[in-house]
Amino acid sequence: MADGSPIPAFLDVTRSLSGRTWRQRPAEPAVIRAHMQALGLDEPLARALAARGVRSDQGADFLKPTLKALFPDPSSFMDMDAAATAIIEALVQGRSVHVFADYDVDGASSAALLVRWFRAMGAELPIYVPDRITEGYGPSAKAFDTLKASGADLVITVDCGAAANEAVAHATEIGLDVVVIDHHMMREEPPHCLAVVNPNRPGCNSGQGNLAAAGVVFVLLAALNREARSRGLFADRDQPDIRQWLDLAAMGAICDVTGLTGFNRALTGLGLGVMSSWGNPGLKALLAASGAVEGPAKSNHAGFILGPRINAGGRIGKSDLGARLLSTDDPDEARTLAQELDALNIARREVERDVTEEATRRVEQTGRHADGSAVVVIAGDDWHPGVVGIVAGRLRERWRKPVIVIGVDAVNGIGKGSGRSQPGMNLGRAIQAAWNEGVLMAGGGHAMAAGLTVRADRIDELRDFLNDRLSGEQAEAEAIDRVEIDALIGPFGATRALFESFEQLAPFGPANPEPLFAISGVQAREPVAMAGGHVRCRLVGADGHSVKAIAWRCADLPGGKALLAGQGGLNVAGRLKADDWNGRKGVQFEIEDIADPRMAQ
């Protein structure tokens, strides 16, 4: 609290069935009042806005962000002017420019942004995406050799390259120019090339470290327009209107789970508005292949419908499918690519389910998830490296600590892994330290996610290194692992009107969490265990009012068991979701946590 005293537990929940404390998100009363008066908001919504760190003078820009108010000066990014100059110079001179992209959504979106800008300038930009299995993450000497042999003069790396010092040095040796556009953590010494643009580069003063690579590329497009304009390149052609491609910037921001504040929030919110027209042939075709219907685009479209399908190509299929889909203007090609990605996504789910079940069983048999360790590291022979990151995320949710899942190639004894972290524990920094100490063959990432390559015979050493490295951050991470409530509502208060009111805070993501509501004293009625460990039920209050509810992947956990037992008197925290089935315009309560006041807390 403002006076330094501890914030009391909300509904007196000091230990929920998942072991967490509940509290109301703290907010300054003066800021709440200012938002109510200036913006005409009711108290719960004004409180939620203040609780997200939005100052009294920032409310209007937060609720209705504009590029005009929030767009950064491209020159504030270290090397941005050098990157724009090099690219425009190559374009004017007719040199062969290629883009080298990562195989995830952010990489595909970044590549598609550049391809579309080049196309608007009358040039084609070939795409190179490394194969996850045979080439691994990021640029390599072999990849640059291939690009050089194909006639490339300049390579723009997107969503990768900032830590590829050795590979970029090789590119220079063979006479290949390189411009790096990235957002990942990197070493103090950048790769030696024409330009390294990365808001997280040591010494960069842009203040835009929460951008995904697609956001950095979007700023680069503005810099390219400015440089081209200064050279008179728009004397006989229209300047590309980069706003038409905001949907691609939003895809990268949402799917890379970036902090949606400031300029990044504007990119994402306005990008979802552009996406809503479904003018990008690839996104339109992929939405149709998924079975979803067109309409206003939400974060859910990018994060849970489109994103996983685009990622499926890089995970278990052809790595360039996503970039090709997002950059094509041919509806027939888009339809073919979308159907292939949708089929790959179905196969990916099956592989992911098998690895998740095996990894869960093996860890819980050893007890390593509950032995007080700072991080869980689990490896298995021939686990598909394309799904280990998803599995790590699932297990992090289950055990509420950083998890690294490694798939080991039984033939060569090399493991490729991916990790997901808890707030307060910087996994990317720890992985970078492991690489620096020679424990890893390769590794990097950011605070909440990281990738690595390790010899199978050093996995135990890696586990010990990371537990030692992260132990100092563990207590703080556990202390902030709270369920933070925005408002208390009864089942009667879980209405469409409340849902739509709080939707003004969207898009949601890190630094702008989706509103969390609490309902007290309810009983779970008509509970049903579903495939995948989900539980459906109806939450019924003492007054008889009820709301439909669902809890994900919890049937074998204490909270899920309480629901399935039909327990009454429960306190439940969760999110309101639209329920538009058959045009009903209702809501469903998505359960995050459950507390039983009768249990010792």
Side-chain angles (χ1 to χ4, degrees):
M1 299 180 71
D3 61 3
S5 59
I7 298 173
F10 193 74
L11 295 178
D12 295 323
V13 178
T14 56
R15 186 172 178 81
S16 69
L17 294 182
S18 70
R20 289 180 281 174
T21 300
W22 292 10
R23 74 168 190 175
Q24 187 168 36
R25 292 190 199 277
E28 291 290 336
V31 179
I32 298 172
R33 289 193 298 272
H35 287 324
M36 293 174 68
Q37 294 166 1
L39 304 172
L41 305 179
D42 60 20
E43 196 274 345
L45 185 56
R47 166 179 283 276
L49 194 61
R52 282 153 180 77
V54 180
R55 300 194 312 263
S56 56
D57 61 340
Q58 296 175 323
D61 279 342
F62 188 91
L63 294 179
K64 295 183 179 179
T66 64
L67 292 184
K68 182 178 181 179
L70 297 168
F71 206 103
D73 179 1
S75 298
S76 67
F77 290 74
M78 187 180 293
D79 274 6
M80 182 68 83
D81 291 341
T85 299
I87 294 169
I88 294 297
E89 195 71 34
L91 187 66
V92 169
Q93 295 176 0
R95 303 178 74 208
S96 179
V97 184
H98 294 233
V99 61
F100 183 110
D102 189 18
Y103 33 61
D104 68 358
V105 176
D106 192 22
S109 300
S110 299
L113 281 166
L114 279 170
V115 168
R116 291 186 173 281
W117 187 87
F118 267 75
R119 190 176 296 153
M121 295 295 290
E124 282 301 314
L125 182 68
I127 302 170
Y128 185 103
V129 183
D131 183 270
R132 183 190 291 263
I133 307 301
T134 61
E135 297 182 76
Y137 170 80
S140 64
K142 181 179 178 182
F144 281 131
D145 285 338
T146 301
L147 285 161
K148 181 68 175 178
S150 70
D153 298 311
L154 170 65
V155 175
I156 308 169
T157 73
V158 292
D159 197 29
C160 59
N165 295 41
E166 293 78 12
V168 173
H170 175 78
T172 301
E173 290 172 4
I174 62 174
L176 193 58
D177 288 334
V178 177
V179 167
V180 172
I181 312 293
D182 203 352
H183 71 128
H184 292 97
M185 293 178 65
M186 55 185 288
R187 310 176 206 176
E188 286 287 336
E189 181 69 21
H192 292 291
C193 55
L194 297 182
V196 178
V197 183
N198 182 343
N200 291 305
R201 174 181 175 178
C204 181
N205 296 316
S206 67
Q208 301 295 330
N210 60 335
L211 288 178
V216 183
V217 171
F218 194 81
V219 177
L220 172 64
L221 299 190
L224 290 174
N225 273 353
R226 185 173 66 182
E227 179 66 18
R229 190 165 55 248
S230 72
R231 294 176 181 235
L233 299 188
F234 299 132
D236 56 357
R237 72 164 66 243
D238 291 334
Q239 175 176 304
D241 183 355
I242 64 176
R243 293 173 298 178
Q244 65 185 303
W245 305 316
L246 276 164
D247 50 358
L248 296 174
M251 286 294 299
I254 294 169
C255 295
D256 235 45
V257 200
T258 59
L260 300 184
T261 59
F263 171 58
N264 199 36
R265 174 177 168 79
L267 276 183
T268 306
L270 296 171
L272 289 172
V274 172
M275 192 185 298
S276 297
S277 68
W278 301 105
N280 182 293
L283 294 177
K284 181 183 179 74
L286 196 57
L287 188 75
S290 74
V293 297
E294 293 183 20
K298 305 289 185 183
S299 295
N300 180 67
H301 286 91
F304 296 99
I305 298 175
L306 303 171
R309 288 168 170 80
I310 293 171
N311 273 333
R315 293 191 185 283
I316 64 172
K318 300 173 185 174
S319 58
D320 66 347
L321 290 177
R324 288 168 54 197
L325 176 82
L326 297 181
S327 57
T328 186
D329 287 322
D330 182 344
D332 291 332
E333 182 185 19
R335 191 177 306 112
T336 299
L337 291 170
Q339 290 170 351
E340 186 173 358
L341 285 167
D342 187 60
L344 285 169
N345 191 53
I346 293 171
R348 185 270 307 167
R349 287 176 183 163
E350 296 174 353
V351 175
E352 174 201 329
R353 182 191 63 238
D354 292 344
V355 175
T356 300
E357 290 176 354
E358 184 178 353
T360 302
R361 182 172 59 254
R362 290 172 59 176
V363 171
E364 294 189 344
Q365 283 175 346
T366 65
R368 284 179 176 158
H369 65 299
D371 62 0
S373 59
V375 59
V376 172
V377 178
I378 181 67
D381 286 347
D382 298 322
W383 285 351
H384 199 296
V387 303
V388 292
I390 304 175
V391 174
R394 296 273 188 251
L395 300 186
R396 184 213 62 81
E397 292 173 5
R398 184 180 183 91
W399 299 320
R400 313 210 61 77
K401 62 172 60 181
V403 177
I404 293 173
V405 180
I406 302 170
V408 177
D409 186 325
V411 175
N412 63 22
I414 302 297
K416 293 188 177 181
S418 188
R420 298 294 183 268
S421 194
Q422 279 286 96
M425 300 179 81
N426 193 322
L427 185 60
R429 185 168 58 200
I431 291 296
Q432 184 68 48
W435 183 87
N436 291 340
E437 293 295 320
V439 179
L440 298 174
M441 300 172 65
H446 47 78
M448 296 301 292
L452 59 89
T453 303
V454 61
R455 292 186 57 85
D457 58 8
R458 302 196 73 175
I459 291 175
D460 288 342
E461 181 183 356
L462 172 65
R463 181 184 293 109
D464 292 341
F465 180 92
L466 293 177
N467 271 299
D468 180 66
R469 185 82 182 188
L470 290 170
S471 61
E473 302 173 28
Q474 185 177 6
E476 175 62 20
E478 291 175 352
I480 66 174
D481 184 25
R482 298 178 291 253
V483 177
E484 298 207 310
I485 309 295
D486 284 291
L488 176 66
I489 60 175
F492 64 89
T495 64
R496 183 69 176 217
L498 182 67
F499 164 76
E500 291 180 348
S501 173
F502 273 79
E503 276 290 284
Q504 294 180 69
L505 302 180
F508 303 114
N512 181 33
E514 194 169 355
L516 209 61
F517 302 99
I519 306 177
S520 64
V522 295
Q523 181 182 18
R525 294 187 186 171
E526 305 161 24
V528 177
M530 304 169 63
H534 315 313
V535 178
R536 280 195 183 280
C537 66
R538 185 171 291 277
L539 300 177
V540 182
D543 59 2
H545 284 93
S546 67
V547 61
K548 287 170 37 177
I550 189 166
W552 306 111
R553 295 180 291 278
C554 70
D556 63 337
L557 298 175
K561 291 176 180 178
L563 295 176
L564 290 171
Q567 285 185 216
L570 298 174
N571 295 330
V572 182
R575 303 167 186 85
L576 287 177
K577 297 289 187 178
D579 180 12
D580 294 334
W581 182 252
N582 285 338
R584 65 169 53 105
K585 292 291 182 181
V587 291
Q588 177 174 262
F589 197 74
E590 186 179 275
I591 296 172
E592 165 70 21
D593 200 18
I594 300 169
D596 186 345
R598 295 166 298 186
M599 295 181 64
Q601 297 184 20

